[in-house]
Amino acid sequence: QKEVEQDPGPLSVPEGAIVSLNCTYSNSAFQYFMWYRQYSRKGPELLMYTYSSGNKEDGRFTAQVDKSSKYISLFIRDSQPSDSATYLCAMSAMGNNNDMRFGAGTRLTVKP
Amino acid sequence: ETGVTQSPTHLIKTRGQQVTLRCSSQSGHNTVSWYQQALGQGPQFIFQYYREEENGRGNFPPRFSGLQFPNYSSELNVNALELDDSALYLCASSLPVDNTEAFFGQGTRLTVV
């Protein structure tokens, strides 16, 4: 069993849909939870950063962390074609971005 | 675009050779991490450098080594290349504090034949 599990998709939705992306993990030491977006032929870029459990909202993006279930989610509201990318969850037991453990990524396509 | 630049962007090497990849961190960032991303997979942590010292290492063999220079730029060296080393190599720079963003470069695509 992988330490971080993420459904690779692919996921295809119409423009304007709400997208739900999820990851599960097994290491209870993880405290820092991140979502990255990666466009083709580019490096990942940070979307959301959450410490411990709870929700965090930034514009159309909402991140949720449930440490009791070892489950994290990213919701994208009013999805746009420009949101088409691979979404990677990442987590770490340490701060300062040390030893981040990534999921395999979910490829999302938003169709106009 | 982030301020993290990596060179070269693409590289083809033969099995058994050695390779050096370079990373220039974002201005003011003294922490650099290196990741290996195989096709269709998430990045895997290789190691992190802070103030020229290794500050954590993932599950990679000793033939993966690194350096960080006084200007915080960094190198990743891989000896005795194997076919499975073919991947996108990413570096990320950050500040050594919690709850702060790591900025990734565009990566170096290494192909070992």
Side-chain angles (χ1 to χ4, degrees):
Chain A
Q1 182 187 5
K2 291 183 179 179
E3 196 171 32
V4 181
E5 297 274 6
Q6 183 175 9
D7 186 342
L11 184 61
S12 181
V13 301
E15 183 175 354
I18 297 175
V19 176
S20 173
L21 304 167
N22 311 293
C23 288
T24 59
Y25 62 94
S26 58
N27 188 346
S28 57
F30 289 146
Q31 299 186 77
Y32 301 88
F33 303 92
M34 288 72 70
W35 285 95
Y36 284 85
R37 177 174 61 195
Q38 186 173 26
Y39 291 112
S40 182
R41 304 182 198 283
K42 299 284 189 181
E45 58 176 326
L46 183 69
L47 286 175
M48 301 288 282
Y49 191 123
T50 308
Y51 172 71
S52 193
S53 285
N55 297 352
K56 188 173 184 179
E57 187 173 320
D58 184 2
R60 296 185 295 112
F61 299 91
T62 299
Q64 291 183 350
V65 175
D66 182 350
K67 290 187 69 178
S68 62
S69 303
K70 298 189 177 66
Y71 187 88
I72 71 170
S73 302
L74 178 71
F75 297 94
I76 307 174
R77 291 184 298 280
D78 188 25
S79 56
Q80 303 295 310
S82 59
D83 295 328
S84 298
T86 296
Y87 289 80
L88 298 155
C89 64
M91 42 202 82
S92 173
M94 296 172 278
N96 71 333
N97 298 294
N98 202 338
D99 194 9
M100 289 190 287
R101 306 295 175 96
F102 283 81
T106 300
R107 179 180 284 185
L108 171 68
T109 301
V110 181
K111 296 186 175 180
Chain B
E1 295 291 334
T2 71
V4 181
T5 56
Q6 292 186 244
S7 62
T9 54
H10 296 84
L11 200 54
I12 299 175
K13 288 287 190 177
T14 303
R15 189 171 50 183
Q17 285 188 313
Q18 178 265 343
V19 69
T20 297
L21 310 181
R22 294 177 175 83
C23 173
S24 177
S25 61
Q26 182 148 317
S27 178
H29 285 186
N30 56 10
T31 302
V32 174
S33 302
W34 284 91
Y35 287 82
Q36 180 195 66
Q37 187 175 23
L39 199 61
Q41 299 297 314
Q44 274 196 289
F45 177 69
I46 303 175
F47 41 57
Q48 184 183 81
Y49 276 82
Y50 169 61
R51 290 187 174 180
E52 304 176 56
E53 297 286 331
E54 189 178 285
N55 186 42
R57 187 179 182 93
N59 190 26
F60 280 81
R63 60 188 184 85
F64 286 78
S65 62
L67 280 174
Q68 188 179 31
F69 300 100
N71 67 354
Y72 306 138
S73 66
S74 179
E75 288 183 353
L76 165 65
N77 299 289
V78 187
N79 293 323
L81 283 167
E82 300 177 0
L83 297 179
D84 284 349
D85 295 334
S86 296
L88 181 69
Y89 287 85
L90 295 160
C91 79
S93 77
S94 60
L95 294 170
V97 293
D98 293 352
N99 201 26
T100 186
E101 182 171 355
F103 292 88
F104 281 85
Q106 82 284 2
T108 294
R109 173 72 63 187
L110 173 65
T111 302
V112 182
V113 298

